[in-house]
Amino acid sequence: MSRFAVLGSPIAHSLSPVIHQAFAKEAKLSITFEKILTPAGALKQTLDAFKVNGGQGACVTLPLKVEAFELCDHLTLAAKTAKAVNTLFWQAGKLWGDNTDGEGLLGYLQNDLGLVLEGRRILILGAGGATRGILDPLLKAGVQNIVIVNRTLTKAQALCTNPHITAYDYDTFNRSNELPFYLVINATSCSLQDALPPLEPEWVKGAYTVDLAYKQKQETLFQQWANKQGALLAEDGLGMLVWQAALGFKLWHHFLPHVKPVIQQLRQGAFQDADQ
Ligand code: NAP
């Protein structure tokens, strides 16, 4: 039986094992998928032990995505661009790192929500690892321009490597004459702290919105707020989570599973009693 794992800290809440087991069932594969508590600084040691004991691939979550990026022998273009890794595997004894977050979000937006991104204006709140992962796929999807708003302006400015990207802090942006946006992506970690980014409501009115954070059966604070302000749609990050896992699964097993049934099952709480 092939052995896989998700590494991070905290890790008890991770849905990766149940998602990958659902995919394995569809692919008729027998796998084990563990959660391994791995604090910052311990990734190399944990991965070495995992590999010696038959580990074939792993995904990494907070706080290890940059540590994984620094550890890899080889990186895919997506991982190089994002400067962060969420999926690991070994090939000819060398450690490879990929980042499926950006393509995962795109898969969800385009295939499941039916959004057409070409020629659109996109607003991204936050300038951390998640934003780094989604910028390139959004540009490749043909968006017209991207505005990044971040609490720490210099972090947003550092991501303006393309004439189609502009950066603001919240105060300046809220007072700006920017035109309306088709899609607003909350890529801050505010929802994890049950807080809202300091954005004026007018920016989400009439826009599609996605909070990259998720709460499985409950709406995030940003979703609730966006709905109240008249957003066209207020989605969370659960779809992106399942999509990025499906792309990791394809990398490991050369099989792209169906995501919709797994998203539906998660929303209905089907796995809540499972050992997640
Ligand atoms: P990160 O690297 O720690 O970045 C966090 C961002 O949030 C930074 O831009 C930070 O601003 C901003 N922020 C934090 N608290 C804030 C506040 N009170 N007000 C305004 N801005 C605030 O985190 P990340 O890895 O990018 O993750 C961001 C979110 O995406 C998290 O909710 C994570 O769970 C989610 N995510 C979801 C998926 C998925 O599959 N659904 C995948 C990846 C990430 P400063 O720069 O000023 O500190």
Side-chain angles (χ1 to χ4, degrees), residues 1-272:
M1 200 179 297
S2 42
R3 190 175 171 210
F4 296 86
V6 56
L7 279 53
S9 177
I11 203 64
H13 69 287
S14 174
L15 293 168
S16 294
V18 292
I19 293 172
H20 279 267
Q21 287 297 2
F23 293 159
K25 196 171 167 194
E26 184 194 346
K28 298 189 170 45
L29 290 173
S30 246
I31 62 166
T32 64
F33 204 108
E34 301 149 56
K35 291 186 245 189
I36 305 180
L37 181 68
T38 311
L43 182 61
K44 183 175 174 4
Q45 185 190 342
T46 309
L47 270 181
D48 286 349
F50 180 62
K51 183 169 178 262
V52 164
N53 290 304
Q56 286 172 269
C59 36
V60 292
T61 183
L62 285 172
L64 303 173
K65 290 185 182 182
V66 174
E67 199 172 324
F69 169 78
E70 286 162 358
L71 196 63
C72 285
D73 302 306
H74 299 290
L75 296 161
T76 62
L77 185 59
K80 273 184 205 162
T81 317
K83 295 189 174 60
V85 158
N86 74 342
T87 308
L88 294 162
F89 59 98
W90 289 272
Q91 207 168 58
K94 299 288 184 193
L95 184 63
W96 275 83
D98 191 12
N99 189 315
T100 62
D101 281 342
E103 288 300 333
L105 176 65
L106 227 63
Y108 185 60
L109 296 178
Q110 295 179 314
N111 294 285
D112 291 5
L113 300 183
L115 301 193
V116 178
L117 299 172
E118 208 176 337
R120 306 294 194 181
R121 289 169 47 74
I122 315 288
L123 172 62
I124 302 180
L125 311 174
T131 298
R132 288 202 307 273
I134 64 178
L135 278 180
D136 211 42
L138 284 171
L139 289 169
K140 284 195 181 126
V143 303
Q144 186 194 91
N145 59 17
I146 298 174
V147 169
I148 304 174
V149 182
N150 196 43
R151 188 173 56 175
T152 312
L153 177 62
T154 48
K155 278 172 73 180
Q157 285 169 330
L159 301 181
C160 295
T161 53
N162 181 302
H164 297 280
I165 310 175
T166 12
Y168 285 97
D169 60 49
Y170 285 96
D171 272 357
T172 317
F173 176 73
N174 280 329
R175 288 185 274 108
S176 76
N177 294 321
E178 284 283 349
L179 296 169
F181 293 87
Y182 173 74
L183 172 67
V184 178
I185 300 172
N186 180 17
T188 70
S189 50
C190 285
S191 292
L192 305 178
Q193 312 149 26
D194 268 328
L196 284 171
L199 184 73
E200 288 296 331
E202 69 196 66
W203 298 109
V204 296
K205 196 174 174 192
Y208 293 99
T209 68
V210 182
D211 187 354
L212 300 192
Y214 55 88
K215 284 203 162 174
Q216 205 172 346
K217 280 189 82 181
Q218 204 189 328
E219 289 195 328
T220 67
L221 192 58
F222 185 83
Q223 277 181 287
Q224 295 170 29
W225 176 79
N227 267 324
K228 226 185 262 173
Q229 310 311 327
L232 276 182
L233 181 84
E235 277 288 316
D236 67 3
L238 194 67
M240 171 183 175
L241 177 82
V242 179
W243 263 95
Q244 63 76 29
L247 296 171
F249 191 90
K250 183 178 174 220
L251 204 63
W252 293 334
H253 306 290
H254 312 289
F255 179 96
L256 183 63
H258 288 94
V259 292
K260 268 192 182 163
V262 179
I263 296 172
Q264 268 166 11
Q265 282 172 297
L266 288 170
R267 293 234 185 266
Q268 289 159 3
F271 302 124
Q272 274 187 346

